[in-house]
Amino acid sequence: MYKFCTTERNNAKANEYETKAMLYLSSFRKDSNEIDAFLVDCFNDITGSNQEVTKLWDVQSKNVKSLNPTKIGTALITLFQNYISNIDFTHFILFMPKLKEMYLQDETMTIYTIDNFHEKHKVKITEGLKKEYLRRNSNTANQTEIEEFLKKIYFVVASENKVEYIKNIIKFKNIVSIEDTFFVSIFDEIRDKQTQLKNIDIEGKIIEFAKEALQFEKTIHRNDIDILIINRFVGVDLFSNRMIPNLFLEEIKEYDQEERKDIIQECNAALSRVIFNKNNKKHFWIFFESIISILRNSKCEAPRQIYQEMKSKSVKIPLLLDELSVIYLISILKESLENDN
Amino acid sequence: MIIKKAGFGNFTEAFIEDKLNNGVNIIFSDDNNKGKTLVIQGIMYALGNEPIFPSGFPAESYYFYTQIEINGENIEFLRHRNSVVLNYRAALNIFDTISEMKYFLKSENIIDLPIIMKDGREVIADLSLFYELFFVGQDKRNPSNIINYGYNKKQDFINMLCTLNGYPLTDIQEDTKEIVEKIKVIKTEINTTKKMLKLLKTDSNLSIYIDKYSDDLSFVELRDKMKKTHQSIGYFKKKRIAEINRKIRLEILIEELNSLNRNIEKGKIICADCGSDRIVYTNRDLSFDASSPYVRQKVMNSIKFQMAQKDEIITEISRNIHKEQDKLKELLIDTPEELQKILLYSEEILSGIEFDNKLNSLNEELRTLMQKNTSINNSSEEAKKQAIEMKYAIVDIMKTLFLEVDPNGRLTFDDLFTKKNVTYSGSEEQEYYYCRLLALNSYFEHEFPLIVDCFRSGEISTQKEKIMIDTFKKTEKQVILTATLKKEEYDAKKYDEYDNIQVLDYSVNQDNKILNQNYVNEMTEILNKFCIGNVAITS
């Protein structure tokens, strides 16, 4: 049995750190590929899970400028409560800024265990955690459990730079030419989505198994973020003066130069109409996701073949797009994502 | 057309009038509020007219039924709100809008509704406009305009009369514009051809001359250069048009995108937790937008950038065109214009194009176009002339009719409608409508009945009334009139003195309660015939 109780109701807005923590799980870990979804503000600030929800990456994010060992101990309380709960968590992570003072043996490390702390500070951390446990539960924590728990914690130092977190997710060609504000805008969008999910109240709700937490719909899928970024890439590139994708040139080689210009302009126009349309976004994402999934799994090379494959799989194409503009989109995606995987 | 039976109501109350005959009918009562106007408006409403029911009458709760005989066939209309069911040739035709019914009546040739020009387009006249030809309601009368003034206007009524008269007024500007353009082009071509012909004729050795020198290297070089320059001018011009079109499309796209970028979806307030007064905003569609403000801004900027770029390209192309034109001038600086043409056309001259024939066919084409143009203009002139003649003819009939009714009357008509500032007093308005209705009837000899609700409004004297009723009788068609009588008139049974008139006394109807139980059975039968069941009552 697991009962949700929220301790911080004061801050409804997801802070930057919680978003960074999620994006860290999403692409900075060796096992990032195993993570399928992120539960926002359920078990903890962020909890990553695999598809079957049998493996959980539990993250507490702590954005406090001057963290000292005692405060670190206090900050570990939710992770610890989860550790001793009936639900199995696989990883325990405290996501925090770089520590200021000389608490650490090796300050250059960005991911470390409790062993990187000097001995006297370890004690402070333990004390801080114990004290907070007592304050919340009115009884003393089990010493062995605390010791075992502390061994399992990973301390992850957050980067100050929002841009890196987005850039790391998908490998694009031409990435260099894109300005930072673009990445910042995507970061902020994801943060705002997190805020929306945080506002779904589950105080006092009880579950037996971790999987049941999905019912609260406080989840962002890793793929959603991927797709979002790809979409924004396609968006900012519309009508830019970049080269026509070679694959698409192949498709329209029968036309003369002037006709080609018209076709490209019409394709760009059609795509911009689709992404500007605010009222059919559900369909749009299903369509966009299908395109990318087919693209990633298809053996076909030519955009037209991929288009045929989409048709045969009955992918619903937005009304605003005609055949050529879908093929154009496929060509762009195929060329931009060439190194992706 | 004859109105045979009419009624309105529902499964709880109803009224049916089936005593109308083919001659003059007068529905009268000793007081107001006996339902005369409801019956008359109801008849017309069922036929698809814009209703002007007395205020407070809940027309939307009732069905309106009218049975007519037209072209020797019986047709039944049943209307509820804006839906009409037509029982025609033993089939039910259902229309959700009056326009649908209008097209049906026209296409089935039930009523030959005239086609009129409205806002530059040919449209079928609306039923409510058409019905003013033979129907005058009691309320909203206004001699300076049509009664159902709104979408349709006075001019539409006049246009309709012109069409009925066989000379529809048309808007010729659009038609002639294209022709005038074509004429211009052909005239220029004729000029060029004439010049060529003149050249060829003045120097009969010209072709020999060209033939001889066409092999001359410098001649060939000059000719090719010139051709090339002409070609590249053509190429640049084509390119410029393409770019201009692209730019226009981008301009339109920006507007389109701005309008797409509006969120129609709304969230709703719900109780977060039953029993609790906490309310949270929820919108379960948690997917991301298809684009972000950043992306949209970027796309808009890119489009604007492209447009600026197109501007530059267009300027550049224009410069290129000028350059090529200068080249051409330089090339031919010492060559007379005729010779330039010869150079250009030398291949054609040698290839033996018959300029005589070309000129002939061009002239022929020009003639046809001119004829077409004049005939359009003529027919439009003719239509205007006919419209004026028609107006005078109708107005003359109106004047005659008026003098019959009121030999000493001051009223004078000079148009079908009065000028805006003219107001008729007392009986004058009534006399005007009477004259117009009958004048239209006698001019067009139409097949529809004459219907006037409250034909004595404005205190028409008994003597005038007698003349009017006699005139109505003389039309030998169905006429339906209503009147409210004063007590002494009613007591004197004034309409009994007329022969061959169907008088229907509505005085027995209770005040404001023409609808009653007595007709419910019959109404139910009618509704059942139209497959309308009694659901509302049983439930």
Side-chain angles (χ1 to χ4, degrees), chain A residues 179 181-182 185 189-190 193 196-197 200-201 216-217 224 228 231-232 235-236 238-241 258 261-262 265-266 269 272-279 281-282 284-285, chain B residues 235 238-239 242-243 246-247 249-250 253 256-258 260-265 278 284-292 294-296 298-300 302-303 305-306 309-310:
Chain A
E179 54 183 17
T181 44
F182 168 66
S185 81
E189 260 189 275
I190 297 172
K193 187 56 60 188
Q196 266 180 295
L197 295 178
I200 298 173
D201 187 24
F216 304 124
E217 296 182 9
D224 293 347
L228 171 77
N231 165 280
R232 299 304 184 244
V236 286
L238 292 176
F239 288 108
S240 72
N241 271 339
E258 295 297 312
K261 275 191 196 167
D262 283 338
Q265 179 168 322
E266 281 315 301
S272 51
R273 281 186 204 108
V274 169
I275 63 165
F276 270 62
N277 188 355
K278 277 193 167 175
N279 299 305
K281 51 184 184 179
K282 243 188 186 146
F284 171 79
W285 286 114
Chain B
Y235 164 78
K238 205 175 118 194
K239 214 171 148 165
E243 290 294 343
R246 276 178 211 128
K247 194 189 152 201
R249 282 207 294 272
L250 290 177
L253 179 67
E256 233 180 298
L257 292 180
N258 280 331
L260 276 172
N261 189 22
R262 282 186 201 127
N263 218 339
I264 301 169
E265 201 176 330
R278 287 187 305 164
R284 277 286 157 176
D285 184 6
L286 285 168
S287 47
F288 289 101
D289 277 336
S291 60
S292 62
Y294 179 88
V295 169
R296 289 193 289 272
K298 227 19 204 202
V299 172
M300 282 296 187
S302 298
I303 295 176
F305 181 76
Q306 292 253 329
Q309 224 177 15
K310 301 256 174 281

Side-chain angles (χ1 to χ4, degrees), chain A residues 215-227:
Chain A
Q215 67 181 300
F216 304 124
E217 296 182 9
K218 283 164 77 76
T219 322
I220 297 183
H221 287 273
R222 201 164 73 97
N223 197 39
D224 293 347
I225 297 175
D226 277 24
I227 304 277

